[in-house]
Amino acid sequence: MKDLNYQLSKLCRDNRDGGFSTQATRSRILDLIANQLQQLGFRRMQPKSLKPKHVNALINHWQDQGISVG
């Protein structure tokens, strides 16, 4: 498992806020984000190393794919 995926998964396991469905959705979304960041060329990341440039890269990637904001 990749570093960021593992650490985000551990973060979700340690912080069980919300219902089971909310927790599962949160975990899947964070896993998807970590995978997409790796596909965009960001390597060896940790949750504390996420910066605005990573968020902007994700937003641009999603807009290029035609994914809506909502």
Side-chain angles (χ1 to χ4, degrees), residues 32-43 61 65:
L32 175 68
I33 287 172
N35 289 336
Q36 288 180 344
L37 282 171
Q38 182 165 14
Q39 289 173 356
L40 292 172
F42 297 105
R43 303 279 190 259
H61 176 68
Q65 288 184 339

Side-chain angles (χ1 to χ4, degrees), residues 1-2 8 10 18 20 22-23 25 27 32 34 37 39 45 48 52 55-56 60 65:
M1 184 179 269
K2 296 172 225 93
L8 289 175
K10 184 177 181 321
F20 292 118
T22 302
Q23 293 173 24
T25 302
S27 180
L32 175 68
L37 282 171
Q39 289 173 356
M45 294 189 62
K48 64 182 178 183
V55 174
N56 290 333
N60 290 334
Q65 288 184 339

Side-chain angles (χ1 to χ4, degrees), residues 2-5 7 37-38 42-51 54:
K2 296 172 225 93
D3 290 340
L4 185 59
N5 292 72
Q7 291 177 4
L37 282 171
Q38 182 165 14
F42 297 105
R43 303 279 190 259
R44 299 178 105 24
M45 294 189 62
Q46 297 180 356
K48 64 182 178 183
S49 69
L50 290 171
K51 306 246 183 290
H54 301 111

